[in-house]
Amino acid sequence: NQKFQTMLEQKNIRKAELNSIIIQKKSEENLADNSINEFSDQLVKADNKINNLTEQINDVNQGIITNKDKISELTSIIDKEQTQYHREKSKLESLIAITERYDGYGNSIRKIMELKETNSGILGVIADIIKVEKKYETAIETALGGTIQNIVTDNEKTAKELIAYLKENKLGRATFLPITSVSGKNTYESEPCMQEKGVIGLASSLVRVDFEYTKLAKYLLGRILVVDNIDNALAIAKKYKYSLRIVTLEGEQLNPGGSMTGGAFKNSSNLLGRRREIEELKKNVSDVSKSLN
């Protein structure tokens, strides 16, 4: 009996030890479950983060594609603007060179204008002094006729010296307009003909000149009517007994006495429009240059 009592106590001790181990293992199991749950939560968060990052990567890739398209489009625009810039600049430089050489003018005029830098009395040719809107260029150039190449000087003395220069060097003839001797009086500004149908205005009122050349403009153009078309011009000429000089926007000309000039208007030199075209090209080149920068 004593032996079995001893064995029973030993078994109870072993049982207690095993119960202790079981409790410990259950505790460890709980800790492991908690870790598993924690890691599961982290895994879910990681998956969500991966999904978000994947969406962001897709968005970035789409943005890259869009930006590449924009870059391609902008590159195309820049190429076109660069082409336009070089074309406009080349045209501007060519036109400036032509204007400075006075191409399209008579030899005598070119020779006189070569002296302009050293002779302050040479103010310029009429085409340099008069500015006009493009829509009136044909009418005003018709109105000016040959006077468009006349040389304006500061006074009669300068004109006399230049005539002597042409004569001595056998350079031909030229017409000079001393600014001190021209008069802008006796224009049609207040005449009844200004109210007639189709009259746009006096040729002198459709041009722009610096203040000191106001009389010159009136002297050259103050007695020339600019009319919208030839039918109205004929009606006005007839009414005033062919005493007026009239030009139309398309370049027809009715002279005092009844003679008429017209037809296809060929003006390859475009003397009057050169300065205007140079200013337009300068603005275009400047605008394109700014957009490229």
Side-chain angles (χ1 to χ4, degrees):
N1 187 29
Q2 184 65 38
K3 180 181 176 180
F4 285 119
Q5 285 290 337
T6 300
M7 289 174 65
L8 180 60
E9 288 176 359
Q10 290 175 348
K11 295 297 181 183
N12 286 332
I13 290 170
R14 180 61 181 163
K15 181 180 178 182
E17 289 175 352
L18 292 173
N19 284 334
S20 176
I21 290 170
I22 289 169
I23 290 169
Q24 182 182 351
K25 294 300 180 183
K26 284 187 175 180
S27 176
E28 291 176 355
E29 183 183 7
N30 289 333
L31 289 173
D33 287 341
N34 289 336
S35 294
I36 289 170
N37 291 334
E38 183 178 346
F39 285 127
S40 295
D41 291 340
Q42 291 179 6
L43 180 61
V44 170
K45 290 178 181 178
D47 286 339
N48 290 336
K49 190 171 184 179
I50 288 170
N51 291 333
N52 289 334
L53 289 173
T54 301
E55 289 178 0
Q56 291 178 24
I57 289 170
N58 290 334
D59 291 341
V60 170
N61 288 335
Q62 186 60 45
I64 289 171
I65 292 171
T66 302
N67 286 335
K68 282 183 177 179
D69 291 340
K70 287 182 179 178
I71 289 170
S72 177
E73 182 181 348
L74 289 173
T75 300
S76 177
I77 291 172
I78 289 171
D79 288 342
K80 288 180 181 178
E81 289 187 344
Q82 284 179 335
T83 301
Q84 180 187 355
Y85 172 78
H86 291 300
R87 184 175 62 249
E88 297 279 292
K89 187 177 180 183
S90 176
K91 187 177 179 181
L92 173 61
E93 290 171 351
S94 175
L95 191 57
I96 288 174
I98 288 171
T99 303
E100 289 178 347
R101 292 196 307 266
Y102 286 89
D103 286 359
Y105 289 83
N107 180 63
S108 57
I109 286 89
R110 290 199 304 273
K111 293 298 182 181
I112 292 296
M113 296 313 297
E114 288 175 1
L115 305 175
K116 189 173 186 296
E117 290 186 4
T118 57
N119 189 333
S120 60
I122 301 172
L123 303 180
V125 294
I126 293 298
D128 289 337
I129 291 169
I130 288 178
K131 300 177 180 64
V132 61
E133 291 181 48
K134 187 175 181 178
K135 61 183 177 180
Y136 299 132
E137 280 178 6
T138 299
I140 298 302
E141 193 148 346
T142 301
L144 288 170
T147 63
I148 198 169
Q149 296 195 29
N150 287 1
I151 300 167
V152 181
T153 62
D154 57 350
N155 54 46
E156 293 91 338
K157 182 175 179 293
T158 301
K160 180 182 175 182
E161 291 171 353
L162 294 173
I163 289 172
Y165 171 80
L166 290 175
K167 190 183 296 183
E168 289 170 8
N169 293 280
K170 296 181 172 60
L171 295 175
R173 299 165 65 84
T175 301
F176 297 89
L177 288 174
I179 198 73
T180 52
S181 63
V182 298
S183 171
K185 297 178 180 179
N186 300 320
T187 69
Y188 289 152
E189 289 175 331
S190 302
E191 297 295 326
C193 60
M194 296 300 299
Q195 309 304 319
E196 298 295 337
K197 179 184 176 183
V199 173
I200 296 171
L202 281 180
S204 58
S205 69
L206 302 178
V207 302
R208 301 188 308 277
V209 294
D210 292 336
F211 178 75
E212 61 267 31
Y213 300 121
T214 302
K215 288 183 179 179
L216 177 65
K218 289 184 177 181
Y219 167 75
L220 294 171
L221 301 168
R223 294 180 66 81
I224 303 173
L225 289 182
V226 178
V227 178
D228 55 359
N229 59 58
I230 192 168
D231 291 328
N232 286 330
L234 285 168
I236 295 169
K238 185 176 181 180
K239 180 175 180 179
Y240 289 87
K241 299 180 180 179
Y242 304 99
S243 62
L244 305 176
R245 187 174 174 203
I246 305 170
V247 297
T248 70
L249 293 179
E250 293 187 352
E252 291 93 4
Q253 180 172 286
L254 281 71
N255 301 304
S259 66
M260 298 170 59
T261 304
F265 191 85
K266 293 183 179 180
N267 186 16
S268 57
S269 58
N270 192 23
L271 302 181
L272 199 58
R274 283 181 183 176
R275 300 290 178 181
R276 186 259 311 157
E277 193 172 354
I278 286 173
E279 294 304 315
E280 290 177 355
L281 285 171
K282 281 182 178 179
K283 184 179 184 304
N284 292 342
V285 168
S286 176
D287 291 344
V288 174
S289 179
K290 286 178 182 177
S291 67
L292 287 174
N293 294 330

